[in-house]
Amino acid sequence: MDTLPSGFEKRTIFISRIIQNDSPLRELIHAGHDVTGESLINVSQIRFTFTPATQWIFFSSKNAIKYFFAQQPEIKDDVKFGVMGPSSAAYLQTMGKTADFIGSGVDVTAIAKEFAKAVGNETVLLPQAIDSLRSIQKQLSFGNTCSNLFVYKTSMKQEFSIPHADILVFTSPSNARAYFGKYKLQPDQTVIAIGSTTKLALGEFGVKEVHLSLSFDETGLLETIQKVIAQIPVKYDPRNR
């Protein structure tokens, strides 16, 4: 017996990350939608043996936090920490550290400018991917001493098969490039991006209409997906006769 509410239409959704058991995104599955969660990139650690002395350490992603602290860096007790958003701040706390600067929103350039105001002319260490866009560094003043520390690298997967989806959700520029290196955007597909840099990467493939997630965390992403689903017209439903 069909228990779905009248007017409900199951949507197929691709999200470019593995959906953990405790993820808010599982609500989409519980609601009856068909969700595929798969990362299209490989991430691996880059070893480092020296940690430059610094007044600030800024992390642009959870991977930067993970692979920096995994190598037991030597840092002073009075070092201050900056992160891109609340989700990264929460992850930083699992490492026993508290963020002194937490970015707001999903405009990476705007976050970088706010961070630049917070640090003034103090020194900044930036653990990052070797292929980072370095958005934060571009906003820091000439008075800053910035040290880039490569702690991980990403590579796009070559072998993957993603079923056609009504909604495509990209969580990073690399994931977007991996997908559109293999597939073309179809007229019936809607695209969502986390962060302005991911939206910019989508533009490289001619994807002009992109919904930006309300935040970097999965709660904000879920809300964005739900809003997009609500905006997509429901096809003819014989139960509405």
Side-chain angles (χ1 to χ4, degrees):
M1 182 177 179
D2 190 355
T3 60
L4 293 176
S6 178
F8 174 87
E9 184 168 356
K10 178 166 67 174
R11 298 297 180 183
T12 53
I13 305 167
F14 167 68
I15 303 173
S16 67
R17 70 169 45 155
I18 296 173
I19 302 173
Q20 304 296 335
N21 291 333
D22 60 349
S23 170
L25 297 172
R26 288 206 165 266
E27 187 173 325
L28 297 167
I29 300 172
H30 299 325
H33 299 292
D34 186 358
V35 182
T36 299
E38 181 180 343
S39 175
L40 306 183
I41 61 174
N42 295 309
V43 181
S44 57
Q45 179 176 286
I46 295 177
R47 288 181 56 80
F48 64 89
T49 57
F50 174 71
T51 308
T54 186
Q55 293 165 290
W56 281 87
I57 300 177
F58 185 90
F59 300 102
S60 58
S61 70
K62 290 183 181 179
N63 278 328
I65 298 172
K66 175 182 177 180
Y67 292 107
F68 177 73
F69 285 105
Q71 303 189 55
Q72 300 180 332
E74 294 183 4
I75 53 178
K76 294 183 178 180
D77 293 336
D78 60 351
V79 168
K80 290 171 283 189
F81 297 95
V83 294
M84 195 67 79
S87 180
S88 290
Y91 187 60
L92 182 64
Q93 284 192 318
T94 68
M95 306 294 174
K97 306 296 181 181
T98 301
D100 299 278
F101 172 88
I102 303 173
S104 176
V106 292
D107 186 328
V108 175
T109 299
I111 292 171
K113 289 180 178 179
E114 287 302 312
F115 178 65
K117 292 179 183 178
V119 303
N121 288 328
E122 294 183 309
T123 56
V124 184
L125 175 67
L126 298 111
Q128 60 194 272
I130 197 167
D131 57 349
S132 169
L133 296 177
R134 303 182 188 180
S135 301
I136 301 298
Q137 293 91 317
K138 294 174 184 177
Q139 301 303 325
L140 294 173
S141 73
F142 289 109
N144 294 111
T145 298
C146 299
S147 301
N148 298 320
L149 182 64
F150 302 128
V151 298
Y152 73 100
K153 61 181 178 180
T154 62
S155 60
M156 294 184 292
K157 293 180 180 178
Q158 301 299 317
E159 300 295 329
F160 58 85
S161 179
I162 305 300
H164 178 84
D166 302 317
I167 300 171
L168 302 171
V169 183
F170 296 102
T171 56
S172 72
S174 297
N175 273 289
R177 293 188 181 103
Y179 182 91
F180 286 107
K182 184 171 185 177
Y183 301 109
K184 291 183 178 181
L185 182 67
Q186 300 302 310
D188 63 336
Q189 292 180 307
T190 302
V191 179
I192 298 173
I194 292 183
S196 55
T197 54
T198 302
K199 182 178 180 180
L200 187 64
L202 288 164
E204 298 172 8
F205 297 91
V207 183
K208 298 178 180 179
E209 294 187 15
V210 179
H211 297 264
L212 267 179
S213 175
L214 297 173
S215 64
F216 286 106
D217 61 74
E218 292 189 345
T219 300
L221 179 57
L222 171 63
E223 187 177 343
T224 305
I225 296 171
Q226 290 171 329
K227 286 185 176 181
V228 167
I229 290 173
Q231 293 171 6
I232 299 176
V234 176
K235 297 176 184 177
Y236 173 72
D237 187 344
R239 292 172 293 180
N240 291 334
R241 288 185 299 177

